[in-house]
Amino acid sequence: MFLFFLLILSVALSPPPPVYAFTLIGGSALLGWDTEELVINVNFSNCGISGDSLKRITEEAMDIWNTSPTSGISLRLGSNSTTTPKQAFTELAQDSPVILCDPDLAGTLGLASGSSTNIPGVTIASLTAGSGLHIGYGFMLLNSNPSDAARVSNLRESVIRIVIAHELGHLLGLGHTADD
C-alpha cells in the first residue's frame, strides 16, 4: 500500500510533459506583436458567404485565443478594410493586421493564376523596419477561389472557425512543428 501511495505521489508531483504543438516563427528571439490588444481588420468581400457570418465566426475563433490562460495578448475584431490581397501581399496594407478573402489565392502566392492551392487559408506575419524583434505586419488570406474545393464557402462553419483560429496562431507568430 505504501508503494502504491508513493507511485501516485511521484506521478502527481512529476512535471507535465513538454508541449510540442507550436514553435515560434523565427526562433525564440521573436517577441510577437508589441501590444496587449491586437485589433484585426477585415475585408470579407469576395468570400462567397455572408460577411456577417464570417465576422461572427472570426470573433468565435478570436475567443479561442482570448480565453487561453497563458495568452499575453487579446484579439479584437476591428473595422472593415478596403485592402486587397495583392496590397496585403506586397506589404501595402495600411490597416495591418487584416483578414481578407482571396478569389485568386494561387495567383497571389505566385502560382499559376486560377490553379488550385488545396488550402483554405494562409497567413503571413513579418518584422518591419523599426519593429525590432516584434511582428509589425501581418495578414490572413482565406481561399475564396470559386473553382477550388478548399474555398471557405465550401466549408462548414465549425471548420472555418478552426481554420481561422489556426491562422490566427500564425498571425501571432506561432509556426508549425514536426508534431503538427
Side-chain angles (χ1 to χ4, degrees), residues 25-133:
I25 296 172
S28 60
L30 184 67
L31 300 175
W33 293 85
D34 189 17
T35 185
E36 291 181 7
E37 180 181 63
L38 187 62
V39 179
I40 303 172
N41 299 302
V42 297
N43 181 350
F44 288 142
S45 61
N46 300 314
C47 286
I49 57 178
S50 156
D52 288 339
S53 293
L54 273 174
K55 284 182 181 179
R56 178 182 46 77
I57 294 167
T58 300
E59 287 175 327
E60 292 169 356
M62 288 177 171
D63 285 344
I64 292 169
W65 288 101
N66 290 339
T67 57
S68 172
T70 58
S71 176
I73 191 168
S74 174
L75 304 178
R76 182 170 59 86
L77 192 62
S79 58
N80 289 327
S81 170
T82 58
T83 297
T84 66
K86 299 279 189 220
Q87 289 171 325
F89 200 78
T90 55
E91 296 196 12
L92 295 175
Q94 299 299 313
D95 54 358
S96 164
V98 62
I99 301 172
L100 313 136
C101 290
D102 191 346
D104 186 23
L105 183 61
T108 301
L109 297 176
L111 306 172
S113 187
S115 65
S116 175
T117 60
N118 203 31
I119 57 171
V122 64
T123 296
I124 305 292
S126 62
L127 306 176
T128 56
S131 67
L133 294 175

